[in-house]
Amino acid sequence: MAGTHPIVDVHTHMYPPSYISLLSSRKEVPYIHTPSSGDPRLIILPSDDDASKPPEQRGRPVDTSYSSFSEKLKFMSTHGITCSVISLANPWLDFLDPSTAAKTAHQINSDLDAACQQQNATSSALKLYAFASLPLSAPVPEIVSSIHSLATLSHTKGVIIGTSGLGLGLDDPALEPIYAALASTRTMVFLHPHYGLPASSFGPTAANYGHVLPLALGFPLETTIAITRVYLSGVFDRHPDLSFLLAHSGGTLPFLAGRIESCVAHEREFTVNGGDKPGPRRSIWDVLKTNVYLDAVNYGEPGMKAALAAAGGEDGQGWDRLMFGTDHPFFPPLAGEEKWLSVESNLRAIEGVCAGDEARKAKILGGNAIRVLGLDA
Ligand code: 5CU
Ligand code: ZN
């Protein structure tokens, strides 16, 4: 995939050192504990906190690939990535004590921004930017203030959020002032899954298949449900300037958008806003072309085609709304290969849909992110 165009990774995570310290100071999920032997381990979900397992087998190891900027830069060089927009990995800051959440978020966001600034001051070849995390457990006015204060962070280009919002999901009317602040400041919202689906969705044999069912299906369906609830509750009608970047190409949204539209059209009993309003006024296709961007993290050509088609058409604006991502440091190579299968399969799928059209490839690989996020890359 060597070429002259910038390659921008919009889906790349870290647990920066200040976040690692925060998790290491906790005893409840999420937390990091260091067993007497082996790497520190991250207990990220309640199901990881399994007292029947020895401590050194609970959760997952967090080695330096999660926290080291130099490892991020090395990974970028290996794959020809010239710019990364780094976001905290799940579960972001959703668990913070409400009374200190805004202050902690400000500190973690400022640290990440400063690290990006420092990198860009010393290198023009490998650039870093950030998506901030919101203190969603804080009182709403403090969340709104923290959105406005992002303007002071020069290398921060949006926010990453999970699907739980203030605890009730992203169609919660209590989020209105937050959506209004995000829209008025033109802040990109990178929506990313964390909780998956209830374990019961996958049946009693799910553990036989390792993490495949929750990761391959639970994560994308969580995103699909979350963004569909945003759409159904009329958020995009009320906030036409709101922009979402959806992880994993929107989960299954590109494939299911037609079905969502059809079900909305056939629904006579919409009770949004107390029953006195119809359902969403805008077509989901219009929202997809106007308010939604999709990362190109779906590992296969059929999925990439669906994403392009949903984002505005394979003959139209779809090419302007897909952005390359890697999900680093998740899905590392298993056998120590230098190149990551997870990255290579995405690149192959992008090559496939571009079918030799260099201009289109340049947009997906970096041009769209540079334009939409305002990166100097
Ligand atoms: O696939 C992904 O995006 C991830 C992620 O971000 N975090 C995680 O714990 N597993 C997979
Ligand atoms: Zn991710």
Side-chain angles (χ1 to χ4, degrees), residues 13-202:
H13 303 292
M14 277 184 77
Y15 294 123
S18 49
Y19 189 76
I20 294 273
S21 309
L22 171 69
L23 291 184
S24 303
S25 71
R26 291 171 53 85
K27 295 276 172 274
E28 285 172 13
V29 178
Y31 66 94
I32 288 176
H33 83 109
T34 306
S36 42
S37 60
D39 275 328
R41 297 188 73 91
L42 173 61
I43 314 296
I44 196 173
L45 288 167
S47 55
D48 295 333
D49 206 16
D50 181 353
S52 69
K53 287 187 180 165
E56 61 279 8
Q57 285 172 24
R58 280 179 220 157
R60 57 170 87 154
V62 264
D63 60 22
T64 51
S65 65
Y66 287 86
S67 56
S68 151
F69 286 94
S70 58
E71 292 211 25
K72 180 68 78 189
L73 296 168
K74 188 164 161 248
F75 165 82
M76 289 167 66
S77 299
T78 300
H79 292 94
I81 295 164
T82 49
C83 177
S84 289
V85 188
I86 299 172
S87 47
L88 238 64
N90 43 310
W92 313 285
L93 303 174
D94 295 4
F95 54 85
L96 290 176
D97 184 300
S99 64
T100 52
K103 193 167 163 230
T104 306
H106 180 68
Q107 184 176 347
I108 288 175
N109 291 333
S110 304
D111 286 353
L112 183 55
D113 189 87
C116 296
Q117 197 167 353
Q118 194 185 343
Q119 167 64 19
N120 296 4
T122 54
S123 167
S124 56
L126 296 178
K127 300 262 189 158
L128 299 180
Y129 289 94
F131 285 132
S133 304
L134 293 178
L136 288 173
S137 57
V140 168
E142 291 184 28
I143 304 173
V144 169
S145 300
S146 71
I147 293 168
H148 286 288
S149 73
L150 294 178
T152 62
L153 300 179
S154 59
H155 285 62
T156 296
K157 299 296 175 181
V159 295
I160 183 165
I161 64 167
T163 60
S164 62
L166 306 177
L168 297 177
L170 298 183
D171 55 356
D172 180 358
L175 286 165
E176 277 301 296
I178 295 166
Y179 286 135
L182 291 166
S184 71
T185 54
R186 301 286 197 276
T187 302
M188 176 65 79
V189 182
F190 180 26
L191 175 61
H192 191 290
H194 167 60
Y195 299 95
L197 296 183
S200 58
S201 323
F202 302 118

Side-chain angles (χ1 to χ4, degrees), residues 101-342:
K103 193 167 163 230
T104 306
H106 180 68
Q107 184 176 347
I108 288 175
N109 291 333
S110 304
D111 286 353
L112 183 55
D113 189 87
C116 296
Q117 197 167 353
Q118 194 185 343
Q119 167 64 19
N120 296 4
T122 54
S123 167
S124 56
L126 296 178
K127 300 262 189 158
L128 299 180
Y129 289 94
F131 285 132
S133 304
L134 293 178
L136 288 173
S137 57
V140 168
E142 291 184 28
I143 304 173
V144 169
S145 300
S146 71
I147 293 168
H148 286 288
S149 73
L150 294 178
T152 62
L153 300 179
S154 59
H155 285 62
T156 296
K157 299 296 175 181
V159 295
I160 183 165
I161 64 167
T163 60
S164 62
L166 306 177
L168 297 177
L170 298 183
D171 55 356
D172 180 358
L175 286 165
E176 277 301 296
I178 295 166
Y179 286 135
L182 291 166
S184 71
T185 54
R186 301 286 197 276
T187 302
M188 176 65 79
V189 182
F190 180 26
L191 175 61
H192 191 290
H194 167 60
Y195 299 95
L197 296 183
S200 58
S201 323
F202 302 118
T205 52
N208 296 348
Y209 318 121
H211 296 100
V212 171
L213 287 169
L215 270 184
L217 304 182
F219 258 35
L221 286 166
E222 177 188 351
T223 308
T224 312
I225 294 167
I227 193 66
T228 305
R229 287 172 62 182
V230 173
Y231 168 68
L232 291 177
S233 62
V235 168
F236 294 113
D237 298 329
R238 295 188 294 282
H239 305 285
D241 292 328
L242 198 54
S243 290
F244 274 85
L245 168 63
L246 304 183
H248 313 123
S249 300
T252 58
L253 183 65
F255 187 77
L256 293 179
R259 186 168 175 87
I260 294 166
E261 183 93 331
S262 169
C263 289
V264 168
H266 289 89
E267 182 58 60
R268 297 185 182 85
E269 303 286 336
F270 255 100
T271 56
V272 176
N273 298 335
D276 60 343
K277 293 259 167 39
R281 289 194 297 276
R282 292 173 56 197
S283 157
I284 189 130
W285 301 113
D286 176 39
V287 168
L288 275 160
K289 274 191 268 187
T290 318
N291 303 87
V292 170
Y293 296 88
L294 304 173
D295 74 19
V297 182
N298 66 58
Y299 312 105
E301 220 176 299
M304 210 66 81
K305 279 196 168 161
L308 270 173
E314 286 182 65
D315 297 323
Q317 292 174 45
W319 299 101
D320 298 326
R321 307 188 78 80
L322 240 61
M323 302 183 197
F324 172 74
T326 64
D327 230 332
H328 180 262
F330 299 101
F331 309 107
L334 297 177
E337 302 94 339
E338 204 197 2
K339 298 260 184 173
W340 293 36
L341 169 69
S342 51

Side-chain angles (χ1 to χ4, degrees), residues 339-351:
K339 298 260 184 173
W340 293 36
L341 169 69
S342 51
V343 180
E344 295 290 288
S345 49
N346 270 323
L347 287 173
R348 260 197 308 277
I350 293 170
E351 291 270 11

